[in-house]
């Protein structure tokens, strides 16, 4: 028997119990994003025999020395069937195969049949990875078939009489993990989210827009301070000498940071805390 001793912090628990199919996990440095993604995969692996998952980033170094290394060191070898260095995958004894790939070319996703996809450092990859990834997340290994009262599987039928399983459970998942950014992770994931969970004292406030909200998408924004396991002086040491826009983005989880402004203090008066930007109005 193997026991997972991981105890999620509150913001991680909220992510793990989120049933949305496409989830954004955004936050500052050290907020625990990669640990959350790794444990989310362990949960998925345990309940998805014969499934296929993929974890990737813009370049291989971004996952080789983080989540891939952690999985290799963390997961019990007795539950591993095969490891292929050449083809960069791990196959587990329940038939699940987890692949690792650099996302330098969206075309690498076109021939895959996935039930789990994790995009690490999402702001640095092409938006086509997410767009094509949604079309590849169709492996029925992460589904369950509806049963009748006698426990027999139920089917629908085409006009030609071909049986099609009726699905009543679906846990296929795409996780986009990233620091906040004004690119595609904001326009394709954050803004269309039907649920937005903000953890910590964020400088931004977001509410789902019912006109564009997608019921399959959710986003979680977490400030660095939410991670209780960081060194006591981590935030102080990290923010020392940094401009306010950098602190807002990389520690406070802001998607509306203002990098490179000639007069960044015009955004907010640090002494009074007053925001001098007029909100958008009709």
């Amino acid at each position: 028997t193997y026991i997972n001793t991981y105890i999620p912090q509150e913001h991680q628990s909220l992510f793990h119990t989120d049933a949305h199919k496409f989830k954004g996990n955004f936050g500052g440095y050290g907020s625990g994003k990669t640990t959350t993604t790794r444990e989310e995969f362990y949960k998925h692996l345990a309940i998805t025999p014969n499934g296929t998952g993929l974890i990737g980033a813009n370049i291989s170094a971004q996952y080789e020395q983080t989540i891939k290394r952690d999985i290799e060191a963390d997961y019990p070898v007795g539950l591993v069937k095969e490891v292929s260095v050449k083809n960069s995958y791990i196959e587990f004894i329940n038939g699940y195969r987890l692949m690792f790939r650099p996302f330098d070319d969206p075309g690498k996703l076109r021939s895959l049949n996935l039930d789990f996809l994790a995009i690490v450092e999402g702001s640095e990859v092409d938006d086509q990875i997410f767009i094509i990834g949604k079309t590849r997340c169709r492996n029925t290994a992460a589904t369950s078939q509806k049963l009748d009262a006698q426990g027999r599987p139920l089917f629908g039928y085409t006009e030609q009489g071909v049986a099609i399983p009726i699905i009543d459970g679906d846990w296929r998942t795409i996780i986009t993990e990233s620091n906040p950014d004004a690119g595609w992770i904001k326009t394709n994931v954050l803004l269309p989210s039907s649920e937005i969970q903000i953890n910590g004292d964020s400088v931004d406030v977001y509410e789902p827009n019912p006109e564009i909200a997608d019921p399959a998408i959710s986003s979680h924004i977490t400030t660095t301070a939410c991670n209780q396991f960081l060194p006591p002086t981590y935030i102080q040491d990290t923010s020392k000498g940094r401009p306010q826009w950098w602190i807002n983005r990389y520690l406070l989880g802001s998607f509306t940071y203002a990098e490179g402004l000639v007069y960044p203090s015009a955004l907010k008066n640090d002494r009074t805390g007053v925001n001098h930007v007029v909100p958008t109005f009709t």
Side-chain angles (χ1 to χ4, degrees):
T1 300
Y2 294 97
I3 299 175
N4 187 344
T5 59
Y6 165 69
I7 300 176
Q9 299 178 76
E10 183 178 359
H11 65 282
Q12 294 170 319
S13 182
L14 289 169
F15 190 88
H16 294 316
T17 54
D18 183 346
H20 288 83
K21 187 173 185 177
F22 310 117
K23 298 191 287 186
N25 191 9
F26 308 124
Y29 287 144
S31 56
K33 299 184 296 295
T34 301
T35 298
T36 306
T37 300
R38 186 181 74 234
E39 294 293 340
E40 191 77 359
F41 170 70
Y42 290 163
K43 179 181 68 172
H44 185 89
L45 163 64
I47 62 173
T48 317
N50 303 311
T52 303
L54 173 62
I55 296 176
N58 185 45
I59 56 175
S60 59
Q62 290 174 311
Y63 60 77
E64 286 279 359
Q65 297 303 314
T66 54
I67 189 167
K68 182 174 184 288
R69 182 179 182 182
D70 291 340
I71 291 174
E72 291 173 340
D74 194 25
Y75 210 76
V77 68
L79 300 181
V80 176
K81 179 181 178 181
E82 178 187 1
V83 176
S84 174
V85 176
K86 177 182 178 182
N87 296 312
S88 194
Y89 70 76
I90 302 172
E91 187 164 320
F92 302 88
I93 61 172
N94 68 345
Y96 199 96
R97 177 171 291 191
L98 174 63
M99 302 179 292
F100 299 91
R101 299 285 187 275
F103 288 153
D104 53 338
D105 178 10
K108 292 181 178 179
L109 273 68
R110 295 188 184 277
S111 61
L112 300 177
N113 187 23
L114 304 171
D115 47 73
F116 181 91
L117 172 63
I119 305 172
V120 178
E121 299 294 347
S123 63
E124 298 185 20
V125 306
D126 193 283
D127 66 335
Q128 289 299 306
I129 295 295
F130 180 70
I131 294 171
I132 296 175
K134 290 169 72 174
T135 70
R136 308 314 304 179
C137 193
R138 60 190 191 190
N139 193 339
T140 56
T143 63
S144 61
Q145 190 172 351
K146 191 172 184 179
L147 307 176
D148 64 15
Q150 287 73 42
R152 295 171 297 194
L154 293 174
F155 296 87
Y157 294 89
T158 66
E159 293 181 359
Q160 293 75 28
V162 178
I164 300 176
I166 298 176
I167 302 299
D168 72 342
D170 187 346
W171 56 95
R172 291 172 283 200
T173 305
I174 295 181
I175 297 173
T176 304
E177 169 193 317
S178 181
N179 296 121
D181 188 81
W184 73 267
I185 64 169
K186 181 177 182 179
T187 56
N188 291 20
V189 183
L190 176 63
L191 297 183
S193 291
S194 59
E195 183 176 323
I196 302 173
Q197 173 67 44
I198 298 179
N199 304 299
D201 190 16
S202 174
V203 294
D204 296 338
V205 177
Y206 295 101
E207 295 290 342
N209 183 346
E211 295 183 1
I212 62 173
D214 185 333
I217 303 177
S218 69
S219 289
H220 295 247
I221 303 173
T222 306
T223 65
T224 298
C226 285
N227 188 351
Q228 302 174 25
F229 295 99
L230 291 174
T233 61
Y234 180 85
I235 294 177
Q236 177 183 343
D237 295 340
T238 307
S239 61
K240 191 174 297 182
R242 298 291 184 177
Q244 189 63 45
W245 70 261
W246 191 96
I247 295 172
N248 288 350
R249 179 184 181 185
Y250 290 113
L251 298 179
L252 299 177
S254 173
F255 277 83
T256 57
Y257 61 90
E259 178 179 0
L261 287 182
V262 178
Y263 299 108
S265 60
L267 280 180
K268 188 174 183 179
N269 187 313
D270 289 332
R271 182 177 62 82
T272 63
V274 175
N275 191 332
H276 295 290
V277 176
V278 179
T280 301
F281 61 95
T282 302

